[in-house]
Amino acid sequence: METKHLSGQPGGLSTLLRAALPVVPGVNQLPGVKKASAQGFAGLSYDRTGVEASRTDVDAYAAVCGFPRKDTVPLPYPHMLAFPLHMAIMSDPAFPYPAIGMVHLENSITARRAIAVGEVLDLTTSVAAPRAHAKGALLDFVTTVTSGGEVVWESTSTYLRRGGKPEGEPDAGLVIADAPTGGLQWRLPADLGRSYASVSGDHNPIHLYPLTAKALGFPRQIAHGMWTKARSIAAIENRLPEAVTVEVAFKKPVFLPGTVAFAERSHDGEHTFALTNPKDGSPHLVGRATPA
């Protein structure tokens, strides 16, 4: 698979525009915008090189997600550096699905070692052919982060595109048996989506304002799934080893403003955790952390 290179400073209005155009009737048939057929899609890959984990950016991210200021980056932070690669792939005409409408179902992160603030990193994100899901197609965005040729961090973000299903047995996804409920309650402000967007570059309208969320079918704005994962990791990070895998499944959306409950249970080095609705115990996120 050929890897395309993403250069310059990614993000901003141009990224949002490229993501939105494929769902605009008429415009979505123009050359350079029209999406390729899903049949025969074999994969796509993009990279970024020489990306610094800068002190300013790391501290801003840590403050929004509940991490302390340290000389190493928070475990989920490289996802912020990889997000432009996700958007580059989704916005590429060769990728058969519009970015708008892609649902982030699961995310798995494996850290091989801590990454220092100021470290310069190379990132590659690839997606292969879709897999079957009961509601459509699953796309696995696999990211590898290296430093001086050493693999230091890896992740897989699994997105669902509702509609046509590829051949094959539907994937059941991550299952966390008997996830904990209750626990410490966190009150989330109405502007959390905008705060997280400012440090992550993910300005999806469903996270920003009631009006923009309603335009896409939500009663009001919702929290980013990767914020809920980051905040959960921040709550237990002092109990996790340096080399660790953290897997989560995103369940029901968290409407803003709102209150969520975080609970965690540990046994034999494995941490199981969940973010739930304190009123009825329904899950927003379930996950587990295990030594890598």
Side-chain angles (χ1 to χ4, degrees):
M1 183 188 308
E2 178 189 359
T3 298
K4 301 181 180 182
H5 182 66
L6 184 63
S7 59
Q9 186 62 36
L13 183 61
S14 61
T15 298
L16 291 176
L17 186 62
R18 288 196 303 273
L21 290 179
V23 298
V24 179
V27 176
N28 59 8
Q29 297 302 308
L30 295 175
V33 177
K34 185 178 180 180
K35 289 290 192 175
S37 170
Q39 291 190 350
F41 175 69
L44 198 56
S45 180
Y46 272 82
D47 71 10
R48 298 181 69 194
T49 56
V51 182
E52 181 184 355
S54 75
R55 168 59 73 186
T56 300
D57 292 344
V58 170
D59 285 354
Y61 173 84
V64 171
C65 298
F67 290 95
R69 187 179 191 272
K70 298 168 63 175
D71 290 332
T72 55
V73 307
L75 175 65
Y77 177 76
H79 180 81
M80 304 303 98
L81 306 180
F83 182 71
L85 299 175
H86 288 219
M87 291 305 299
I89 290 172
M90 291 185 192
S91 302
D92 194 307
F95 185 73
Y97 309 100
I100 293 178
M102 298 286 285
V103 181
H104 199 178
L105 286 190
E106 297 182 2
N107 176 268
S108 174
I109 291 172
T110 296
R112 300 300 177 186
R113 65 160 173 83
I115 297 172
V117 173
E119 197 162 343
V120 177
L121 307 168
D122 297 328
L123 303 92
T124 302
T125 298
S126 302
V127 61
R131 300 184 288 118
H133 184 271
K135 296 182 179 180
L138 292 178
L139 287 304
D140 295 317
F141 284 61
V142 179
T143 297
T144 301
V145 178
T146 61
S147 177
E150 173 196 8
V151 176
V152 295
W153 191 94
E154 299 162 280
S155 78
T156 299
S157 284
T158 299
Y159 294 90
L160 168 67
R161 183 69 193 185
R162 292 187 174 94
K165 303 175 186 177
E167 294 183 1
E169 192 70 23
D171 191 287
L174 177 67
V175 176
I176 304 293
D178 191 26
T181 58
L184 183 66
Q185 293 190 12
W186 299 332
R187 179 67 180 171
L188 310 185
D191 66 350
L192 176 60
R194 299 190 294 277
S195 298
Y196 185 74
S198 70
V199 300
S200 69
D202 185 354
H203 294 271
N204 188 324
I206 63 174
H207 303 299
L208 303 182
Y209 299 97
L211 186 62
T212 57
K214 286 178 181 178
L216 294 171
F218 292 87
R220 63 184 193 271
Q221 69 269 36
I222 64 175
H224 290 74
M226 286 303 294
W227 181 89
T228 64
K229 177 171 184 174
R231 184 65 186 88
S232 298
I233 293 173
I236 61 173
E237 69 148 1
N238 61 348
R239 284 167 274 167
L240 300 180
E242 184 174 293
V244 65
T245 295
V246 183
E247 307 164 272
V248 301
F250 303 114
K251 301 296 186 179
K252 294 185 177 182
V254 179
F255 291 102
L256 301 172
T259 300
V260 295
F262 175 79
E264 181 264 347
R265 182 175 59 241
S266 59
H267 178 71
D268 287 343
E270 179 175 291
H271 298 265
T272 303
F273 55 91
L275 207 61
T276 59
N277 184 323
K279 293 181 179 179
D280 59 14
S282 58
H284 298 298
L285 171 151
V286 295
R288 65 177 170 229
T290 53

